[in-house]
Amino acid sequence: MKKTILTGIRPTGNLHLGHYFGAGRTWRDVQDDYNFYLEIADVQALTDNFNDPAKVNKNVFELTKDLLALGIDPDKVHIFIQSQIPEIAELTVYYSNLVTVSRLQRNPTVKTEIAQKKELFGNDGESITYGFLGYPVSQAADITAFMGEVVPVGDDQLPLLEQCREIVRKFNSIYGDILIEPQQLLSNTSRVKGLDGNEKMGKSLGNAIYLVDDPDTIKTKVMGAVTDPNKIRKDDPANPDVCMVYYYHKLVNSEDNNEKICSECKKGERGCVACKKELIEAMNEFLRPIQEKRKYYEENPDEVKKILEKGTKDAREKAIDTMKKVKKAMMIDYS
Ligand code: TRP
C-alpha cells in the first residue's frame, strides 16, 4: 500500500522559480509513489489576509493553475481546498486543548512571522490575532485529518511539524492510539536566489521570476539582474560565480551553453548585455511549455473547478473517516 503524503500551500500569489525548483520539484517527484493530498490552504491564508477575501479567493484558482502547469498530475494527486473540509476546523477546536499559549508563542516559525509583522506594521504585536497564533494547531489538523505519514516541507516549516507531532502524542496518550506522527521529507533543493542576489526568491522581496511572467516582463527583470560589480567594461574578465545572470543560466540553460558562457565570462570575451539577452531567450524557452499548459487551464476554467471538486471530494471522505475515529476516542460520538 502506498504511504500517505500531505502538504499544503497558501494561496496568496502566483508561483515563482523558487517554488518550481524547490517544493514543486519535490512534489512532482513523489506524486507517483504516494497517496498524495495537496491542500490549497485558504483558511491559513485568511489568518493574515482576513481583510482581503477577494485576494485569497482569486489565488485559489491562480495557484491551482500554476500547480497544474508545473506538472502536478490531478489524476495522481488529490488537490483540495482547505475551507471545504469542515472536519479540519472541527479537529482544530479539539486540538486547541492540547497545546499551551506559551508553546505557540515559542514556536520558532510563529515567532519569526510575528517579528516580520512587527517590522512591517511597526506595532508591538498587539494586533496578533488568536487565529494567527493558533494556525500551527490548524496545520496539525490539516495533516492528521488525512492520516498524513509523510509531509514534504521546507526547513522553515519544521517547527510546525514538530508542533503537530507533539499534539499527536498528547492526543494519543489521552484518548488512545488513533493519530499518526508524521515524518518530514525535506524539499530536495536549497533556495533559489533572487534576481538581486538575495539568498531567497520571494514575493515580498520583489526579486522573483514568476511562472506566468510574459517575455516583456522577463526582459525587464533579467536586464535588471545583478552582475559582477567589478566588471566595468564589456571586455573586462569577470567572476561568473557572483553573477545572477550566470546563476540563472545554470538553472534554465543547457550544460554545453553554460560551460561556454562561464569560460567566455572569465576571459572577458562576453559582455553582460549580450549575456542577459541570451538568458532572456533561454528563460522564455524554459517557461514556454509551462505557460502553454497553463493557458489550456485558463481557457478551460470549468476543468480547473472539476479538478478541485474531485480532489476535495476524495479528501473529504478521508477526513470524515478520521473524524469518526477521533470522536469515538474522545467520547463525543453519543451513538
Ligand atoms: N504553512 C505552510 C506554508 O506556509 C502551508 C501549509 C498549510 C502546510 N498546511 C500545511 C504545509 C500542512 C505542510 C502541511 O507554506
Side-chain angles (χ1 to χ4, degrees):
M1 253 249 298
K2 283 181 179 175
K3 276 196 178 180
T4 298
I5 205 163
L6 177 294
T7 196
I9 179 161
R10 299 184 195 198
T12 51
N14 282 108
L15 297 183
H16 52 59
L17 289 184
H19 297 111
Y20 183 91
F21 289 106
R25 178 142 80 189
T26 310
W27 298 350
R28 274 195 309 278
D29 286 351
V30 297
Q31 61 184 346
D32 287 318
D33 305 327
Y34 289 87
N35 180 25
F36 190 170
Y37 293 94
L38 178 47
E39 177 187 272
I40 311 288
D42 60 340
V43 177
Q44 191 175 109
L46 283 166
T47 59
D48 52 1
N49 293 277
F50 59 86
N51 50 6
D52 197 353
K55 171 179 155 186
V56 176
N57 178 289
K58 168 173 170 264
N59 279 306
V60 167
F61 298 101
E62 285 298 297
L63 180 58
T64 305
K65 283 181 274 185
D66 280 351
L67 289 168
L68 294 167
L70 71 69
I72 300 299
D73 181 345
D75 289 332
K76 295 176 184 155
V77 179
H78 318 285
I79 310 174
F80 71 97
I81 307 177
Q82 185 183 19
S83 61
Q84 303 310 297
I85 313 283
E87 289 72 23
I88 296 176
E90 213 175 339
L91 285 172
T92 305
V93 173
Y94 300 132
Y95 294 170
S96 305
N97 298 325
L98 308 178
V99 55
T100 63
V101 172
S102 72
R103 174 65 180 88
L104 288 170
Q105 283 166 334
R106 277 186 284 111
N107 181 305
T109 309
V110 174
K111 251 171 107 173
T112 313
E113 284 171 337
I114 289 179
Q116 282 165 355
K117 280 182 203 301
K118 282 185 191 167
E119 211 174 288
L120 235 86
F121 306 120
N123 64 35
D124 55 5
E126 286 294 303
S127 65
I128 301 300
T129 63
Y130 165 62
F132 180 79
L133 184 67
Y135 95 77
V137 183
S138 163
Q139 188 156 321
D142 293 343
I143 297 167
T144 53
F146 309 97
M147 298 290 176
E149 296 166 273
V150 180
V151 181
V153 283
D155 50 7
D156 61 317
Q157 294 286 308
L158 290 178
L160 294 177
L161 209 55
E162 188 49 38
Q163 186 97 64
C164 173
R165 285 192 281 258
E166 279 176 37
I167 290 171
V168 167
R169 285 197 288 269
K170 186 98 186 177
F171 183 100
N172 286 349
S173 74
I174 301 170
Y175 305 115
D177 249 342
I178 302 289
L179 303 178
I180 294 174
E181 263 191 63
Q183 301 305 310
Q184 68 240 26
L185 175 75
L186 276 179
S187 290
N188 61 9
T189 35
S190 48
R191 301 209 151 87
V192 174
K193 292 184 190 173
L195 288 160
D196 54 357
N198 194 305
E199 280 306 312
K200 192 179 173 192
M201 180 177 276
K203 185 171 54 157
S204 52
L205 300 163
N207 62 3
I209 290 181
Y210 292 92
L211 301 182
V212 292
D213 279 349
D214 60 23
D216 277 345
T217 312
I218 295 293
K219 188 173 169 197
T220 313
K221 286 183 177 175
V222 169
M223 280 313 200
V226 168
T227 53
D228 181 351
N230 292 323
K231 181 170 165 110
I232 314 284
R233 278 172 302 264
K234 197 169 119 215
D235 45 9
D236 283 346
N239 176 9
D241 293 333
V242 299
C243 173
M244 294 321 294
V245 177
Y246 181 58
Y247 178 88
Y248 283 107
H249 269 300
K250 281 193 292 187
L251 285 179
V252 300
N253 211 332
S254 72
E255 225 167 278
D256 285 352
N257 282 346
N258 292 336
E259 265 173 37
K260 181 168 162 270
I261 292 167
C262 182
S263 83
E264 285 178 1
C265 174
K266 281 182 178 162
K267 286 191 252 164
E269 290 170 357
R270 159 174 289 263
C272 291
V273 174
C275 192
K276 283 177 173 174
K277 284 192 177 145
E278 266 176 56
L279 177 59
I280 292 165
E281 286 290 310
M283 189 64 80
N284 287 330
E285 205 54 46
F286 172 80
L287 291 175
R288 190 163 300 132
I290 299 169
Q291 295 184 348
E292 264 165 24
K293 201 156 184 199
R294 197 182 196 283
K295 192 153 169 272
Y296 170 79
Y297 290 108
E298 279 160 14
E299 286 166 357
N300 294 282
D302 285 350
E303 200 154 320
V304 178
K305 284 211 169 116
K306 262 197 215 135
I307 287 169
L308 287 169
E309 270 163 26
K310 169 81 171 59
T312 303
K313 187 171 162 279
D314 298 342
R316 181 100 205 266
E317 272 168 25
K318 183 71 194 169
I320 288 174
D321 182 58
T322 303
M323 203 64 229
K324 273 196 195 128
K325 292 179 182 148
V326 164
K327 283 190 156 176
K328 188 161 190 290
M330 292 182 70
M331 302 186 176
I332 49 173
D333 60 343
Y334 304 110
S335 53

